[in-house]
Amino acid sequence: MTSQRGLGVAVIGTGKMGADHVRRLQEVVSGARVTAVVDIEADRAKSLADGIDGCTAYTEPAAALAAQDVDAVLIASPGPAHEAALIEALGRDLPVLCEKPMTPDTDSALRVLEAEQRLGRRRVQVGFMRRYDTDYAKLKRLLDSGELGRALMLHQRHRNLDMPPGFTDEMLISSSVSHEVDATRWLLGQEITAVTVHKPTPTSHAPTGMNDPQLILFETASGALVDVEIFGHCGYGYQVQAEAVCERGTVRIGDEPGPRVSAAGRWGGHIPADYIERFEDAYDREVQAWVDATRRGETTGPSTWDGYAASAVCEAGVLSQREGGRVEVGMVERPRFYE
Amino acid sequence: MTSQRGLGVAVIGTGKMGADHVRRLQEVVSGARVTAVVDIEADRAKSLADGIDGCTAYTEPAAALAAQDVDAVLIASPGPAHEAALIEALGRDLPVLCEKPMTPDTDSALRVLEAEQRLGRRRVQVGFMRRYDTDYAKLKRLLDSGELGRALMLHQRHRNLDMPPGFTDEMLISSSVSHEVDATRWLLGQEITAVTVHKPTPTSHAPTGMNDPQLILFETASGALVDVEIFGHCGYGYQVQAEAVCERGTVRIGDEPGPRVSAAGRWGGHIPADYIERFEDAYDREVQAWVDATRRGETTGPSTWDGYAASAVCEAGVLSQREGGRVEVGMVERPRFYE
Amino acid sequence: MTSQRGLGVAVIGTGKMGADHVRRLQEVVSGARVTAVVDIEADRAKSLADGIDGCTAYTEPAAALAAQDVDAVLIASPGPAHEAALIEALGRDLPVLCEKPMTPDTDSALRVLEAEQRLGRRRVQVGFMRRYDTDYAKLKRLLDSGELGRALMLHQRHRNLDMPPGFTDEMLISSSVSHEVDATRWLLGQEITAVTVHKPTPTSHAPTGMNDPQLILFETASGALVDVEIFGHCGYGYQVQAEAVCERGTVRIGDEPGPRVSAAGRWGGHIPADYIERFEDAYDREVQAWVDATRRGETTGPSTWDGYAASAVCEAGVLSQREGGRVEVGMVERPRFYE
Amino acid sequence: MTSQRGLGVAVIGTGKMGADHVRRLQEVVSGARVTAVVDIEADRAKSLADGIDGCTAYTEPAAALAAQDVDAVLIASPGPAHEAALIEALGRDLPVLCEKPMTPDTDSALRVLEAEQRLGRRRVQVGFMRRYDTDYAKLKRLLDSGELGRALMLHQRHRNLDMPPGFTDEMLISSSVSHEVDATRWLLGQEITAVTVHKPTPTSHAPTGMNDPQLILFETASGALVDVEIFGHCGYGYQVQAEAVCERGTVRIGDEPGPRVSAAGRWGGHIPADYIERFEDAYDREVQAWVDATRRGETTGPSTWDGYAASAVCEAGVLSQREGGRVEVGMVERPRFYE
């Protein structure tokens, strides 16, 4: 399927994230090149395609996916556009890397789940890129090794300098905490069964009416307890930390990295400004892993089921956020296909 | 009141903690000496007194407190014996340092509160020694400085290597988490208004039937949210950490102290075995501060009200632990006397 | 020069380092592919080439460099073979990434320097890969920013678990400390003018007769003082650290990275086993940067002059090691070509 | 000798250090009280004595030492006055805690050494208080345990925010590095046999003509190599660090302590402003240890020999500083009395 010239990738969506993936595929990742870019804004797609040898601009995903030089699809358009593109790609049996959230709700996620099962083999990798961060990967290996015993609790912190205008309480969960939802499920190897949201008096730096920060509790299938501090306007940088409390020890990631400066009465270091600075390497590894697996004819990484499960947990979270109290997560039974 | 020879202190209770305070008063603290030791086990008291010049053994607190060379009282007997000793000391207008818990329940705590108010001046310091730990004191100063803005959340960890036989779920709160109750109230300068206890599947290293670890949530009067991980059988050492999440920054204490060794493929350091190793300096400072204030004719530090409030919060915690869900803390109105 | 299929690279030398570069060019780096592998052991070259689409095996560098599908050369053969390959590549105006040491001594280094100058443009990048390590790059940026003022001293540590059999005192300098020689020159932007080697009583884990560890002092052109602890048999892992002492602050890199585990009475983390684990990302970035620059028609990174200067400093170091005392570094004047 | 009221101490010298020791003896240390203060400035001594119950002011050490209520002597006068006070105290068989430097040169140190030997028992403890710092004590215990094997190298850093006017190159060694001289001898349990001073181009923040910072190398009797960075005007705080390089591991103290703040794009903590903030606890422990040992009738801690040896090393250092090159340390043979 892949020519000697590398995997031909159609990138759907050429906003900030899409354009960054185009750059990554062209300049960082080995074994792939961008042969199509798709955006409803024709000019933006064209100007991006013009800079790349052998790349065509499209306004319709379907047209791009039908092109002969397209071997695989990277979806980075806005969430509501994902379902149609995913269904189209699955219809053509094309491998997909789909940015998170896979789709905006569980109903649409279920439709994708069913389409992939009809196809009869995994074709979709969902963009939960923390799994490709060096420290998260080491944490996962350590937990899986059994060296520290079973994980009893997981403490997570997710802090942003601030949020773009229009960011809502709901988006704190569906856009931000969804990363911790996936990290929790992946690290512990279990589904999340209930969510409880707690809201302290908000920071005065959040927009009026927004509850920021929040503390989100997850319960998992085997009874582990997980807390997530989500703080959208912490005001000082981007900080992501996790600590697993196990039967024989605890392990923490996300602590202070990089050069340590002593100056003016203080020692310490720099805090990344945003997720791009913090997780740039993870994005690189994620896309490289997808290209590598695709060239081997495989689909690995977070699955359509992971995309669906994240949706279901986030929906429960948003309900708890709105109504208060503990909300159980409703999910269809996991198809054997995804086991 | 105090002779030139230093404050004469009667130590009530000569178990592990009482004996340690006797040693501290004799060998570490400046300006005090032990003139009386009291224990219902007459032999134990006598053998301790024999080693100290000018110290008399008693089996009855009342007799010791009536002695002419007793200027102040340190209560380190079991909790149920505290109330009588406190009332006796207040009746004689003697300054007291009373180990925590002040009394075993809120009813008895209220009676002490009333006795002290009748006396008309503060005479009791309660032994919440974390306020005298260097790092806690720095955290308090930083929060009070306003440099980081208002505290929105507080994350606390309290881990023990293991617990003595007979330790119960209730004691996890009344004996262990009571430290975090006081730390929370002191650091944030607010009362705790509600408690919710969450229990993951317990570690297999806890006794059968014990829920260990637990995650305890506090809500405070101004809406701050506090979580406490209490873990009685973490299996690797004694670890106490706290992180305040404020409007303009976060601050963490309790991280890895001491020499850093690199050997055999690992870098890192030693974790204290128990609270004595971890908080030895805090105990020294606590008792020195009490002696110093007493010699100046003052009573400082955690008050009878702090002892009462800790009881009230712990009772709510034990109820949440038993019945599940959120439990509001019932407290009498704070007397102006304690403002 | 580069086809759309990416830069065609001939890799000379297929030992541990060469084979790793082949893998890197094929699987990690974007925009290049290996079209030729060269080794005097014909079988080894052939078996490596057989696994790569469009790659030919050679036993002679000259033959490989003459091939039409070779756009650039990566030299990873033993040091004594570098000069001939470099001269050959320069004769054909081919871009080169040459593993360190560029050549085994300053005489041969000078010949390469002259050959490149005759060619009239930079074509050679020398493989000092620390410049591509994230932390070293941040340190360099910080020093160049002037934020901390002029660097007065530089403390460096370079520790290896152990050394291969046959490793000598001389190699401690020419093979190991040569990295600190380049790091020093690059970080401070100055030549090293004198070297003094100090030797404590050696560790009992070094081979008899070997002086390990050693402390090497560099003086630089503007009077900065640099000390390097080189320890070939530290016995616990691979550890590289650097601290710059500047007029307004100090900055340290190489401290404890990765997950922090608390278990069995100790907190801490893992120490890498070797330079491959520690600097894998730096090698990836180095080769990617070389491929990128080459495709743009440029040569960047450490130059032939840097290779020559490192040789000159190491020769002085070896002399000080042998004879004791301070040895001045003898270097030709820096050609304007390399300014 | 000591009354029940505690050790009666004469404090000689009531400058900054002496006054601080008076406060410490009265308010911090257990088992001692200040019964005499001595200063040639009669008013200063009197005003200090007036605030202390049972304390007399003197202008002559000899008069104070003859007083009946003086059981022991703490010497905190300027260095040149130490010898006379020490000889006087030894003549009266009084226990002494003498601030460092014991005396200003080796000749006077030798006279004290001889006086103490004539007396026939140790009576003098020299004020090298780092031995009483928690981290130094842990480092010493670790080295002595043999867990890491023999120490091969010791890296030390000693940085001051700035220095008082009039501070000279010589004083960098005799007043500042003398602490590292003692720490080295104590930690390694060996004499220092040679000193070499290296001077980079000085910081522009030092007074004109002063060489600051400097790197001082010590060689020890068994061949360990020690480097000390002394930096008098680092400009950002007081920082003291040490790292021992042993046969089976390395160990580092003096790293970043206390609360870690994340704010305004940076994580980190506070650096102490001066030695008082950094070593306050060590001073407290030092004086308490001296009082305790004295009350037991013993003399422990750094001896007269340690005071003499530090002088001898510092003299060699000052010579190397002045003349350049390596200077061997000349010392009398160690009397069996001090083994």
Side-chain angles (χ1 to χ4, degrees):
Chain A
M1 181 181 69
T2 307
S3 85
Q4 196 187 7
R5 290 167 54 197
L7 193 72
V9 179
V11 175
I12 302 178
T14 62
K16 184 181 172 189
M17 184 64 93
D20 197 45
H21 279 311
V22 167
R23 176 195 60 75
R24 182 170 288 114
L25 284 163
Q26 286 297 108
E27 298 173 20
V28 180
V29 164
S30 170
R33 68 214 159 90
V34 178
T35 49
V37 292
V38 187
D39 207 297
I40 45 172
E41 296 191 33
D43 288 356
R44 192 160 68 175
K46 178 143 197 328
S47 101
L48 196 56
D50 283 353
I52 300 168
D53 198 21
C55 178
T56 311
Y58 300 85
T59 54
E60 287 301 317
L65 271 50
Q68 220 174 347
D69 58 357
V70 167
D71 305 313
V73 188
L74 193 162
I75 301 176
S77 49
H82 287 190
E83 182 183 358
L86 283 161
I87 298 292
E88 181 74 30
L90 288 171
R92 293 183 174 279
D93 197 12
L94 287 172
V96 183
L97 175 57
C98 179
E99 267 303 326
K100 59 154 283 282
M102 185 175 76
T103 65
D105 52 46
T106 50
D107 285 347
S108 48
L110 273 179
R111 288 192 292 269
V112 177
L113 206 63
E114 281 152 18
E116 192 176 38
Q117 289 179 74
R118 272 196 305 276
L119 177 61
R121 53 172 175 165
R122 278 197 59 191
R123 271 312 197 188
V124 179
Q125 173 176 335
V126 179
F128 289 117
M129 91 294 173
R130 288 213 191 146
R131 300 191 186 192
Y132 298 92
D133 176 66
T134 304
D135 275 1
Y136 272 90
K138 286 179 180 169
L139 175 54
K140 171 68 172 165
R141 266 201 300 278
L142 186 61
L143 294 178
D144 286 354
S145 76
E147 185 182 324
L148 300 180
R150 188 164 46 89
L152 305 166
M153 303 180 104
L154 194 56
H155 306 300
Q156 296 178 83
R157 312 281 164 258
H158 185 161
R159 295 166 186 151
N160 292 269
L161 186 64
D162 56 20
M163 287 300 186
F167 211 85
T168 63
D169 272 28
E170 271 196 27
M171 290 160 81
L172 276 183
I173 290 187
S174 61
S175 171
S176 300
V177 175
S178 52
H179 281 294
E180 275 77 24
V181 169
D182 185 65
T184 298
R185 296 179 60 255
W186 176 64
L187 289 171
L188 303 185
Q190 300 170 45
E191 295 300 343
I192 293 168
T193 54
V195 187
T196 315
V197 176
H198 294 264
K199 295 179 275 192
T201 301
T203 174
S204 57
H205 300 121
T208 312
M210 189 172 182
N211 288 287
D212 184 30
Q214 301 185 18
L215 189 78
I216 324 274
L217 298 187
F218 300 143
E219 301 164 39
T220 74
S222 84
L225 186 65
V226 178
D227 58 272
V228 181
E229 178 204 314
I230 176 68
F231 195 172
H233 299 78
C234 83
Y236 64 79
Y238 182 75
Q239 206 172 40
V240 167
Q241 302 176 327
E243 181 177 34
V245 179
C246 304
E247 290 198 310
R248 281 193 295 278
T250 59
V251 49
R252 207 168 71 194
I253 60 169
D255 273 312
E256 302 78 8
R260 303 194 175 195
V261 173
S262 291
R266 294 187 61 75
W267 60 268
H270 167 77
I271 297 173
D274 57 21
Y275 69 93
I276 291 179
E277 184 182 348
R278 170 67 177 83
F279 285 115
E280 187 182 9
D281 285 352
Y283 279 110
D284 291 352
R285 284 199 188 85
E286 174 195 51
V287 178
Q288 185 70 63
W290 175 64
V291 167
D292 292 348
T294 299
R295 294 182 72 181
R296 292 193 310 269
E298 299 173 14
T299 299
T300 58
S303 70
T304 308
W305 174 257
D306 295 317
Y308 163 74
S311 272
V313 174
C314 288
E315 281 183 8
V318 169
L319 193 59
S320 170
Q321 209 179 38
R322 233 181 258 149
E323 322 258 313
R326 177 177 179 273
V327 174
E328 297 200 358
V329 177
M331 282 171 61
V332 300
E333 208 181 334
R334 182 171 183 147
R336 300 193 53 173
F337 184 86
Y338 290 105
E339 270 160 22
Chain B
M1 181 180 71
T2 307
S3 86
Q4 196 188 9
R5 290 167 55 197
L7 192 73
V9 179
V11 176
I12 301 178
T14 62
K16 183 181 172 190
M17 183 65 91
D20 196 46
H21 279 310
V22 167
R23 176 197 59 78
R24 181 171 287 114
L25 284 162
Q26 286 298 108
E27 298 172 20
V28 180
V29 163
S30 170
R33 68 215 158 88
V34 178
T35 49
V37 291
V38 186
D39 208 296
I40 44 172
E41 296 191 33
D43 288 354
R44 191 160 69 175
K46 178 142 196 331
S47 101
L48 196 57
D50 283 352
I52 301 168
D53 197 21
C55 177
T56 311
Y58 298 86
T59 54
E60 287 300 317
L65 271 49
Q68 220 174 348
D69 56 359
V70 168
D71 305 312
V73 188
L74 193 160
I75 302 176
S77 49
H82 288 190
E83 181 182 357
L86 283 161
I87 298 293
E88 181 75 31
L90 288 170
R92 293 184 174 278
D93 198 12
L94 286 172
V96 183
L97 175 57
C98 179
E99 266 304 325
K100 59 155 283 281
M102 185 175 77
T103 65
D105 53 47
T106 50
D107 285 347
S108 49
L110 272 178
R111 289 191 293 269
V112 177
L113 206 64
E114 280 152 19
E116 190 177 38
Q117 288 179 76
R118 272 196 307 274
L119 177 63
R121 53 172 175 163
R122 278 197 58 192
R123 272 312 198 189
V124 178
Q125 172 176 334
V126 179
F128 289 118
M129 92 294 174
R130 288 214 192 145
R131 302 191 185 193
Y132 298 92
D133 175 67
T134 305
D135 274 1
Y136 273 91
K138 287 179 180 170
L139 175 55
K140 171 67 172 165
R141 267 201 300 278
L142 185 63
L143 293 178
D144 286 354
S145 76
E147 186 183 324
L148 300 180
R150 186 165 49 86
L152 306 165
M153 302 178 105
L154 194 57
H155 306 300
Q156 296 178 83
R157 311 281 162 258
H158 185 160
R159 295 169 186 148
N160 292 269
L161 186 64
D162 55 22
M163 288 297 186
F167 212 84
T168 63
D169 271 28
E170 272 197 28
M171 290 159 80
L172 275 182
I173 290 187
S174 60
S175 171
S176 299
V177 175
S178 52
H179 281 293
E180 275 76 25
V181 169
D182 184 65
T184 297
R185 296 179 61 254
W186 176 63
L187 289 170
L188 303 186
Q190 301 169 45
E191 295 301 342
I192 293 167
T193 54
V195 186
T196 315
V197 176
H198 295 263
K199 294 178 276 192
T201 301
T203 175
S204 57
H205 300 120
T208 311
M210 190 172 181
N211 289 286
D212 184 29
Q214 301 186 18
L215 189 77
I216 324 274
L217 298 187
F218 300 144
E219 300 164 39
T220 74
S222 84
L225 187 64
V226 179
D227 58 272
V228 180
E229 177 204 314
I230 176 69
F231 195 172
H233 299 77
C234 83
Y236 64 79
Y238 182 74
Q239 205 172 40
V240 168
Q241 302 176 329
E243 180 178 33
V245 180
C246 303
E247 291 198 309
R248 282 193 294 279
T250 58
V251 49
R252 206 168 72 194
I253 60 170
D255 273 311
E256 303 77 7
R260 301 193 176 197
V261 173
S262 291
R266 294 188 60 76
W267 60 268
H270 167 77
I271 298 173
D274 57 21
Y275 69 94
I276 291 180
E277 183 182 348
R278 169 68 178 83
F279 286 115
E280 186 182 11
D281 285 352
Y283 280 109
D284 290 352
R285 285 199 187 84
E286 174 194 53
V287 177
Q288 185 71 61
W290 174 65
V291 167
D292 292 348
T294 298
R295 296 182 71 180
R296 292 192 311 268
E298 298 172 15
T299 299
T300 59
S303 71
T304 308
W305 174 258
D306 295 315
Y308 163 74
S311 271
V313 174
C314 288
E315 281 184 6
V318 169
L319 193 58
S320 170
Q321 208 179 38
R322 234 181 257 149
E323 321 259 314
R326 178 178 180 271
V327 174
E328 296 199 0
V329 177
M331 283 172 59
V332 299
E333 208 182 335
R334 183 171 182 147
R336 300 194 53 171
F337 184 86
Y338 290 105
E339 270 159 23
Chain C
M1 180 180 71
T2 308
S3 85
Q4 197 187 7
R5 290 166 55 196
L7 193 72
V9 179
V11 175
I12 301 177
T14 62
K16 185 181 172 190
M17 183 64 92
D20 197 44
H21 278 311
V22 168
R23 176 197 59 77
R24 181 170 289 113
L25 285 162
Q26 286 298 107
E27 298 173 19
V28 179
V29 164
S30 170
R33 70 216 156 87
V34 177
T35 50
V37 292
V38 187
D39 209 296
I40 44 171
E41 297 192 31
D43 288 354
R44 192 160 67 174
K46 178 143 196 330
S47 102
L48 196 56
D50 283 353
I52 300 168
D53 199 19
C55 178
T56 311
Y58 299 85
T59 53
E60 287 301 318
L65 271 49
Q68 219 174 350
D69 57 358
V70 166
D71 305 312
V73 188
L74 194 161
I75 301 176
S77 49
H82 288 191
E83 181 184 357
L86 283 161
I87 298 294
E88 180 76 31
L90 288 170
R92 294 185 174 277
D93 197 12
L94 286 173
V96 182
L97 175 57
C98 179
E99 267 304 326
K100 58 156 281 282
M102 186 175 76
T103 64
D105 52 47
T106 50
D107 286 347
S108 49
L110 272 178
R111 289 191 293 268
V112 177
L113 207 63
E114 280 151 20
E116 191 177 38
Q117 290 178 76
R118 273 195 306 275
L119 177 62
R121 53 172 174 164
R122 277 197 58 192
R123 272 314 198 186
V124 178
Q125 172 176 334
V126 178
F128 288 119
M129 91 295 172
R130 287 213 191 146
R131 300 192 187 193
Y132 298 92
D133 176 66
T134 305
D135 275 1
Y136 272 90
K138 286 179 180 170
L139 175 55
K140 170 68 171 163
R141 268 200 300 278
L142 185 63
L143 293 177
D144 286 353
S145 76
E147 186 183 323
L148 299 180
R150 187 164 49 88
L152 306 165
M153 302 179 107
L154 194 56
H155 306 301
Q156 296 177 83
R157 310 281 162 259
H158 184 160
R159 295 167 187 150
N160 292 270
L161 185 64
D162 55 21
M163 288 299 187
F167 211 85
T168 63
D169 271 28
E170 271 197 28
M171 290 160 81
L172 275 183
I173 289 188
S174 60
S175 171
S176 300
V177 175
S178 52
H179 281 294
E180 275 76 26
V181 170
D182 185 66
T184 297
R185 296 178 60 255
W186 176 63
L187 289 171
L188 303 185
Q190 300 169 46
E191 295 300 343
I192 292 168
T193 54
V195 187
T196 315
V197 176
H198 295 264
K199 294 179 274 190
T201 302
T203 174
S204 57
H205 299 120
T208 310
M210 188 173 182
N211 289 287
D212 184 29
Q214 301 186 19
L215 189 77
I216 325 274
L217 297 188
F218 300 144
E219 301 165 40
T220 74
S222 84
L225 187 64
V226 179
D227 58 273
V228 180
E229 176 203 317
I230 177 66
F231 195 173
H233 300 77
C234 83
Y236 64 78
Y238 182 75
Q239 204 170 41
V240 168
Q241 301 177 327
E243 180 177 34
V245 179
C246 303
E247 290 199 309
R248 282 193 295 278
T250 58
V251 49
R252 205 168 71 194
I253 60 169
D255 272 312
E256 303 78 6
R260 302 193 176 197
V261 173
S262 292
R266 295 187 60 77
W267 60 268
H270 168 77
I271 297 173
D274 57 21
Y275 69 94
I276 292 180
E277 183 181 348
R278 169 68 178 83
F279 285 115
E280 186 183 10
D281 285 353
Y283 280 109
D284 291 351
R285 284 200 188 84
E286 175 195 49
V287 177
Q288 184 71 63
W290 174 64
V291 167
D292 292 349
T294 299
R295 295 182 71 182
R296 290 193 311 268
E298 299 172 14
T299 298
T300 59
S303 71
T304 307
W305 174 258
D306 295 315
Y308 164 73
S311 271
V313 174
C314 287
E315 281 184 5
V318 169
L319 193 58
S320 170
Q321 208 179 39
R322 234 181 259 150
E323 322 260 313
R326 178 177 180 272
V327 174
E328 297 201 359
V329 177
M331 282 170 61
V332 299
E333 207 181 335
R334 182 172 182 145
R336 299 194 54 172
F337 184 84
Y338 291 105
E339 268 159 24
Chain D
M1 178 180 73
T2 308
S3 86
Q4 194 187 13
R5 290 167 55 196
L7 193 72
V9 179
V11 175
I12 301 177
T14 64
K16 185 182 172 190
M17 184 64 94
D20 197 45
H21 279 312
V22 168
R23 176 197 59 76
R24 180 170 289 113
L25 284 162
Q26 286 298 107
E27 298 172 21
V28 179
V29 163
S30 169
R33 67 214 159 88
V34 178
T35 50
V37 291
V38 187
D39 208 296
I40 45 172
E41 296 190 34
D43 288 354
R44 191 160 69 174
K46 176 143 199 330
S47 102
L48 195 58
D50 283 353
I52 300 168
D53 198 20
C55 177
T56 311
Y58 299 84
T59 53
E60 288 301 318
L65 270 49
Q68 220 173 351
D69 56 359
V70 167
D71 306 312
V73 187
L74 193 160
I75 302 176
S77 49
H82 287 189
E83 181 184 357
L86 283 161
I87 299 292
E88 181 76 32
L90 287 171
R92 293 183 176 279
D93 197 11
L94 286 173
V96 183
L97 175 57
C98 179
E99 267 304 324
K100 58 155 283 281
M102 186 175 77
T103 65
D105 52 47
T106 48
D107 285 347
S108 48
L110 273 178
R111 290 191 291 268
V112 177
L113 207 63
E114 281 151 19
E116 191 176 38
Q117 289 179 77
R118 274 197 305 274
L119 177 62
R121 53 171 175 165
R122 278 197 58 193
R123 270 314 197 188
V124 179
Q125 172 175 335
V126 179
F128 290 118
M129 91 295 172
R130 288 215 190 145
R131 302 192 186 192
Y132 299 92
D133 175 66
T134 305
D135 275 1
Y136 273 90
K138 286 179 180 169
L139 175 55
K140 172 68 171 163
R141 266 200 301 279
L142 185 62
L143 293 178
D144 286 354
S145 76
E147 186 183 324
L148 300 181
R150 187 164 48 88
L152 306 166
M153 302 180 106
L154 194 56
H155 306 300
Q156 295 178 84
R157 311 283 163 258
H158 185 161
R159 297 168 185 149
N160 292 269
L161 185 64
D162 55 22
M163 287 299 187
F167 211 85
T168 62
D169 271 27
E170 271 197 27
M171 290 160 82
L172 276 183
I173 290 187
S174 60
S175 172
S176 299
V177 175
S178 52
H179 281 294
E180 274 77 25
V181 170
D182 185 66
T184 297
R185 297 179 61 256
W186 176 63
L187 289 171
L188 303 187
Q190 300 169 46
E191 295 302 342
I192 293 168
T193 54
V195 187
T196 315
V197 176
H198 295 264
K199 294 180 274 190
T201 302
T203 174
S204 57
H205 300 120
T208 311
M210 189 172 182
N211 289 288
D212 185 29
Q214 301 185 19
L215 189 77
I216 325 275
L217 298 187
F218 300 144
E219 301 164 41
T220 74
S222 84
L225 185 65
V226 179
D227 57 274
V228 180
E229 177 204 315
I230 177 68
F231 196 173
H233 299 78
C234 84
Y236 65 77
Y238 182 75
Q239 205 170 40
V240 168
Q241 301 176 328
E243 180 177 34
V245 179
C246 304
E247 291 198 307
R248 281 194 294 278
T250 58
V251 49
R252 206 168 73 195
I253 60 170
D255 273 311
E256 303 78 7
R260 301 193 177 197
V261 173
S262 291
R266 295 188 60 76
W267 61 267
H270 167 77
I271 297 173
D274 57 21
Y275 70 93
I276 292 179
E277 183 182 349
R278 169 67 178 85
F279 285 115
E280 187 183 10
D281 285 353
Y283 280 110
D284 291 352
R285 282 198 189 86
E286 174 195 52
V287 178
Q288 185 70 63
W290 174 65
V291 167
D292 292 349
T294 300
R295 296 182 72 181
R296 291 193 311 268
E298 299 173 13
T299 299
T300 59
S303 71
T304 307
W305 174 258
D306 296 315
Y308 162 74
S311 272
V313 175
C314 288
E315 281 183 6
V318 169
L319 193 59
S320 170
Q321 208 178 38
R322 233 181 259 150
E323 321 260 312
R326 177 176 179 274
V327 174
E328 297 200 0
V329 177
M331 284 172 60
V332 300
E333 208 182 337
R334 184 173 182 145
R336 300 194 53 172
F337 184 84
Y338 290 105
E339 272 160 21

